[in-house]
Each structure stands twice: as C-alpha cells, then as structure tokens.
Amino acid sequence: MTRGQLAEWTGLDASTVTRSLRPLIDDDYLRESRPPPTGRSMAGRGRPVQALSVNPGRHVAIGVKLGPSTVSAVLTDLSGTVLARHAASLASADPATALATIGAVVDELLATSGSARQDVLGVGVGLSGHVDPESGSCRLSAILGWRDVPVREPLADLLDLPVVVQNDANTLALAEHWFGRGRGASTLAVVTLGIGIGCGLVLGDRLHTGERGIAGELGHLPLDPQGRVCTCGARGCLEALAGDTAICELSGCVSVAEAMSAASERGASASSTRAREAFRQAGDALGRGLAGLCNLVDPELVIIAGESAAAFGLMEPAVRESLAVHGFSGISAEVRIEVDAGQEDLWTRGAASLAIRAGVGQL
Ligand SMILES: [Zn+2]
C-alpha cells in the first residue's frame, strides 16, 4: 500500500500516517518499494510514490496447536510463510506434560530453522475449549480434560517469550481469513467438525471472541432437550447430536472413517443403511445449528473444516434441507458453504498469526 492508500483505509490524515510509519521504517519493519502495478497511482509531479510492505524477515513467529495427543507447531516469517514445522506426541494431556512438550517443540523449531530466540516476536497457542483471553487460562476443555488451567503465564516463563492463547477454532478462522478460503470475505464462520464442534467467527474483518472468550460455541447450541448428554453436561447440544461420538453411536461404527466407508458401500446392507441414517441425523442437527448461526450473524461464507470435515459430503443433503427449513428469509440459498478438509498447517499458521498480530500491537 502507498501512504495515500493507508490514509484512506485508516481514515487518518496523511501527515499522521507519515509520522506513524517513520519509526517502523527506521526499525526495518516496513520497506519502501515500487507501488503494485494494479494500484491506483497517487503520483503527482516529482518523485514517484512508493508503496510500503512488511519486511517478512524482520522477525519470526511460532504457532502451536495443542491437541489431546499431539502438539504440532510451525515457525513462520511475518507474512505467515512456514519456515519450519515440527510435531510431537503427548504422553498425557495433563497440563505439566503438555506445557513441557510445547517447550521441547519450540526448542526443536528454533534449532532446525537456525532462528535465535530473540528473533521470535511471540508464540501463539490454539487449544480446544473455553480460553479466557484476559487471563490466558483455559477455563474448560472437555477434550483435554482441563478446568481452570493457566497457560499463558507458565508458558511465557518456560519459553522466555511472549505468549498468546486462543481457542483453536478461532486461530483457524484467523488463518482462513488471512491465508485461506476466507480471503476477501468480511464476515465468515469457520465450523470445525470432529469430536467437538467448534466455530470461529470473523465479523467485519475482525476475529470475534466475545467478552469472555466463548463466542462461537456453536457446538453447545441447545437443540434438543431430550437429546444425548453432551461433554459439557447439558442435554441435546449440537456437538452431542452431530459430533464424532454421535455418528459412531448412531452408525454402530468405531470411527467416523469406518462409518464413511460403510455409508459409501453400494447397495443397502444393514450396516450401510444404518451408517447413512447416522449421517442424515447428524446432518439434520448440523443444518439446524448452521441455520441458527446464519440467522444470528448472516455470514457471507461458512467454511467447514476440522478432522471430520471429509464426512460433510455425506451429511450435506440433510444439512441443506434443514437449513432451508430453518434459515430465515431464504438465507440458505445465498450463504456459501465450502469444505476445507486439508491444509493441516492452517491451524498452526493461524496460531502464528495470532502471535504476529499481538506482537505487532506491542511495538
Ligand atoms: Zn454441550
């Protein structure tokens, strides 16, 4: 962007923009270059107008995804380009083991990439459950079995680096918005399917985490007062009706992958009929959940992601039907739903982006 474009975008006057940028240019965070060829020329007479871009090599950032059995992480430059990645299995999800494993993974990333600790702008960590943005602690995570576990402070002490902690669906929403299918969409929801059903919201180009960090807990939308008991203790949450556990129970299969292959069998054996019905019921619940989401925030785009996203195709007819019934004013026909079943790096790149965003805010 040129200074003129930045002034227009921020609503600040040109002299304020120039003054604010000076220290960032002096410290080599921003570099001047020729303006992009498609950009509107702000050049008058005299010297050509220069565009400013981020110097991606000025710092590195680390993004971590903490799961119940694995810690995966990437080291990126300031543009989110992955320079190194590493993963380690967790012997147990108890907090001390998890934090020590994150420490070992960060050391390994620094060693393999040849980066110095003082080059790291920060470490972003995504984990499932309710993460309190104020205290940086995990208030509740059924998947990790955690309740009121401090994360940010002990990890910052252990790593000797700034740490930012966020719900993992939120880190994924940030990544989709910055680098993925959500680029250019101002309002979007990323819905993750798996053992839990998570959701990250970007509203008006900003990640929306809510006052206490539970915004987007789509998985605990109460859909059926008589339904299955959920991991949160309540009855009939979307997650209890359409999460992996429900699909396994309904289909009689040990995993969603097994249920998917049973449902995809030709013919109508008892096991394939039962598996198809499981996906129909899960899809019906998911459609009602998505209708609630769409009626509430009216997103331009819904991205289906997470470890069971590949099963969405089997649920989709029931999802669409349910969304058509419950979506207000024909929204179901207009909202775009896209499936992003790959790109494992996106979770960790999102966590790194979180650290970049927080770190740049501290400059
Ligand atoms: Zn629940």
Side-chain angles (χ1 to χ4, degrees):
M1 280 184 167
T2 63
R3 287 176 178 77
Q5 288 167 326
L6 275 166
E8 202 175 307
W9 188 58
T10 57
L12 298 170
D13 63 69
S15 62
T16 306
V17 167
T18 299
R19 202 169 52 245
S20 307
L21 293 176
R22 179 45 55 196
L24 292 171
I25 295 168
D26 289 345
D27 287 344
D28 202 25
Y29 283 95
L30 293 178
R31 286 179 172 177
E32 291 178 296
S33 57
R34 281 178 301 149
T38 52
R40 194 148 49 94
S41 172
M42 307 291 280
R45 283 172 298 163
R47 65 191 181 116
V49 172
Q50 300 223 294
L52 291 155
S53 57
V54 172
N55 170 14
R58 181 65 176 80
H59 276 293
V60 292
I62 292 174
V64 177
K65 181 181 194 295
L66 171 64
S69 57
T70 316
V71 171
S72 41
V74 293
L75 183 139
T76 73
D77 66 15
L78 288 187
S79 69
T81 301
V82 175
L83 305 176
R85 59 173 68 74
H86 186 61
S89 55
L90 268 180
S92 121
D94 76 86
T97 309
L99 298 192
T101 307
I102 292 174
V105 166
V106 167
D107 287 346
E108 180 68 24
L109 281 174
L110 292 175
T112 52
S113 66
S115 305
R117 197 167 290 263
Q118 63 265 27
D119 294 336
V120 180
L121 190 59
V123 179
V125 180
L127 52 92
S128 75
H130 175 191
V131 177
D132 180 5
E134 283 290 313
S135 66
S137 63
C138 172
R139 297 265 300 265
L140 177 69
S141 171
I143 287 175
L144 294 171
W146 288 9
R147 184 180 279 276
D148 291 323
V149 175
V151 180
R152 188 180 60 212
E153 302 303 330
L155 199 55
D157 288 345
L158 178 73
L159 300 175
D160 196 20
L161 288 169
V163 171
V164 56
V165 189
Q166 187 56 267
N167 169 275
D168 57 359
N170 288 340
T171 69
L172 189 59
L174 193 62
E176 291 283 11
H177 186 227
W178 280 23
F179 315 114
R181 290 166 186 270
R183 280 181 79 156
S186 161
T187 297
L188 66 104
V190 176
V191 175
T192 62
L193 304 182
I195 297 170
I197 292 184
C199 174
L201 296 172
V202 173
L203 306 181
D205 286 316
R206 285 177 186 274
L207 186 65
H208 180 77
T209 58
E211 191 61 29
R212 294 158 204 87
I214 67 163
E217 279 299 343
L218 183 70
H220 302 285
L221 207 62
L223 292 182
D224 180 1
Q226 262 75 52
R228 283 182 177 71
V229 175
C230 179
T231 53
C232 72
R235 204 172 262 285
C237 297
L238 170 60
E239 184 171 305
L241 306 180
D244 285 2
T245 310
I247 292 169
C248 290
E249 269 181 39
L250 288 165
S251 64
C253 295
V254 296
S255 67
V256 171
E258 188 187 305
M260 284 171 69
S261 62
S264 307
E265 277 171 22
R266 286 172 182 277
S269 67
S271 63
S272 69
T273 304
R274 192 174 167 190
R276 282 175 209 152
E277 176 59 16
F279 286 113
R280 192 200 63 75
Q281 286 188 32
D284 177 61
L286 183 58
R288 272 179 284 143
L290 293 182
L293 171 72
C294 291
N295 292 352
L296 209 56
V297 304
D298 187 16
E300 177 179 342
L301 170 67
V302 175
I303 299 170
I304 306 289
E307 64 267 25
S308 295
F312 183 75
L314 289 163
M315 297 187 239
E316 190 166 3
V319 169
R320 297 273 181 196
E321 206 171 297
S322 181
L323 193 53
V325 172
H326 299 288
F328 186 67
S329 184
I331 194 175
S332 62
E334 290 172 30
V335 66
R336 258 193 307 139
I337 301 179
E338 292 188 15
V339 179
D340 189 352
Q343 304 200 56
E344 179 59 24
D345 270 353
L346 266 189
W347 294 89
T348 44
R349 282 177 84 198
S353 313
L354 203 66
I356 294 168
R357 199 181 61 160
V360 169
Q362 305 284 318
L363 291 176

